[in-house]
Amino acid sequence: MIQPKKLKVVVCLDGGGTKGLMTLQMLSHLEKELGFDMTKTCDLIGGTSTGGIISFCKLINLSNEEIVDLYKKIGKEVLKFACTNITESQSIVNTKLYTDSLTKYFGDTHIKDFCAGRKCFLMTSVSEKLVPNYKPFMLSNYDNPGRAHVGPKETLKNLSVVNCVRATSGIPGLFALPTHESQIFMDGGYFHNNPIEATYHEALSVFGASEAEYIIFISFGTGECPNAINSFISNGVMNPLEKLSSFSPFKIDSPAQRIVNFMTKSSNETHLKFKAANPKVKYFRFDPILDKNIQVNDCSDETIAYMNKVTEAYLSSFEVKNSISQLKELLKQ
């Protein structure tokens, strides 16, 4: 007797700084609607920047509420601008405190030893230190002999989980960038702030192209903002990018400006392009619409309340209810 093929669930999460709080709100809602936490049962999970952080936090069994508390702490302590940060770690925010905060959760575990039995990845960008020429790069806790689209087939076995998380969320200037041997890493948003395309190719190479019709892709955005201004950091520092001098590391067309542009505008373009190119793929996208821009380090009570309100309204929309209904039916198979 031929056994029916098992559906595989793949989850990927966009970058977006503190807007990851909206992702956590959506995950909590879906957990209630589905009756289980998909991030704990899916066959492959990963993301970019804030999405990568959430993915890895979920893999060490932190609840959505615990991750929200972590984000608020990082937002109010780590992402607070201080002149001493520039002298101590050559970054706008406190890179050392960020690293220490991550170490409390992930310890000194290497990526090769992280969450055995689960497949997880982070999107980053990598370049040789002496010759800046960044390329998309995928860090994973598993080897993938079929990987050809983003980086090596084998895991960087001696890279710590903390430095992997720093690598996916390393906006240049905001944080001091992590290094490994001759390589320097930068935020994955430079190429894949919405990692759905990279995730799709990775899933096909891991599970096999013949399994494509049995894979469900679930993608989470951090808020589409059609009228976004590419502002970078709150409290009046480096904001907006269009007004910066040519001497700033965040000038127009700089890596940081490109990353922030992808966070505010291009992620939805990536979604639409992927959806149009793959009409037969079982693909679900959850992404609220914002009517104002939110800076990557804005963790004020006012902004958190705004994100909560917008996400709540989005989750109650017919579009989302219909998507969840379709997803439930698929998962019953």
Side-chain angles (χ1 to χ4, degrees):
M1 178 179 178
I2 299 176
Q3 294 295 323
K5 292 191 176 182
K6 177 181 178 294
L7 283 173
K8 293 179 174 60
V9 177
V10 175
V11 176
C12 65
L13 301 88
D14 288 16
T18 56
K19 292 190 295 179
L21 289 169
M22 293 190 291
T23 301
L24 290 163
Q25 189 173 344
M26 290 186 285
L27 288 174
S28 294
H29 182 80
L30 278 170
E31 184 176 343
K32 292 176 183 177
E33 289 292 319
L34 299 176
F36 65 95
D37 185 346
M38 72 173 69
T39 64
K40 294 182 178 180
T41 60
C42 62
D43 299 275
L44 176 66
I45 183 172
T48 299
S49 199
T50 197
I53 296 171
I54 293 172
S55 297
F56 272 35
C57 283
K58 295 295 288 184
L59 285 168
I60 58 173
N61 292 320
L62 291 183
S63 67
N64 295 324
E65 293 74 22
E66 287 173 317
I67 306 173
V68 167
D69 289 340
L70 172 62
Y71 264 61
K72 290 180 180 179
K73 181 177 180 180
I74 288 177
K76 294 184 183 300
E77 297 178 8
V78 174
L79 298 181
K80 184 178 180 181
F81 171 75
C83 292
T84 53
N85 296 335
I86 298 174
T87 58
E88 291 176 358
S89 59
Q90 293 76 56
S91 58
I92 292 175
V93 300
N94 197 323
T95 299
K96 182 181 183 305
L97 185 55
Y98 181 49
T99 303
D100 291 344
S101 298
L102 294 174
T103 303
K104 289 179 181 178
Y105 289 92
F106 298 109
D108 57 0
T109 305
H110 288 165
I111 185 66
K112 68 180 177 66
D113 301 316
F114 184 61
C115 293
R118 297 290 307 277
K119 286 185 171 62
C120 52
F121 68 87
L122 297 173
M123 296 306 306
T124 185
S125 309
V126 69
S127 175
E128 294 294 320
K129 290 181 184 178
L130 299 178
V131 186
N133 181 25
Y134 282 94
K135 297 179 180 179
F137 200 83
M138 181 177 282
L139 296 165
S140 64
N141 70 340
Y142 59 93
D143 294 334
N144 177 11
R147 184 183 298 155
H149 50 289
V150 276
K153 299 177 181 180
E154 296 183 354
T155 301
L156 294 178
K157 301 184 188 305
N158 59 342
L159 191 63
S160 71
V161 172
V162 168
N163 276 335
C164 287
V165 173
R166 287 186 60 212
T168 192
S169 58
I171 298 178
L174 186 66
F175 292 108
L177 301 183
T179 62
H180 176 70
E181 298 176 349
S182 64
Q183 299 169 313
I184 183 168
F185 294 95
M186 183 173 68
D187 197 290
Y190 189 71
F191 292 101
H192 293 286
N193 194 66
N194 176 351
I196 183 58
E197 291 185 13
T199 302
Y200 174 73
H201 291 295
E202 181 71 2
L204 293 190
S205 65
V206 169
F207 302 121
S210 62
E211 301 292 307
E213 65 178 297
Y214 301 101
I215 303 174
I216 302 173
F217 293 89
I218 308 174
S219 168
F220 292 88
T222 55
E224 177 195 353
C225 189
N227 301 314
I229 298 174
N230 294 331
S231 55
F232 180 63
I233 186 168
S234 62
N235 301 324
V237 181
M238 303 300 181
N239 178 32
L241 287 171
E242 286 85 345
K243 297 181 180 179
L244 301 181
S245 74
S246 60
F247 298 102
S248 168
F250 310 110
K251 64 185 178 180
I252 301 302
D253 296 327
S254 73
Q257 193 276 342
R258 171 173 166 152
I259 290 166
V260 174
N261 179 62
F262 278 18
M263 285 182 180
T264 54
K265 296 180 180 179
S266 300
S267 285
N268 189 57
E269 294 173 9
T270 300
H271 153 65
L272 294 174
K273 179 180 177 182
F274 177 81
K275 185 177 180 180
N278 301 279
K280 295 184 179 180
V281 172
K282 295 179 176 65
Y283 170 57
F284 296 85
R285 172 75 168 170
F286 298 97
D287 192 20
I289 297 177
L290 305 172
D291 58 11
K292 68 177 182 179
N293 193 28
I294 297 173
Q295 292 136 357
V296 295
N297 71 324
D298 188 351
C299 207
S300 65
D301 292 340
E302 179 183 3
T303 295
I304 291 175
Y306 167 75
M307 290 190 291
N308 181 273
K309 180 180 178 180
V310 168
T311 307
E312 191 66 36
Y314 170 72
L315 292 171
S316 64
S317 67
F318 172 80
E319 173 193 359
V320 172
K321 290 180 179 179
N322 186 50
S323 292
I324 293 176
S325 177
Q326 293 179 38
L327 183 56
K328 283 181 178 179
E329 289 301 313
L330 276 175
L331 292 174
K332 288 179 181 177
Q333 298 179 19

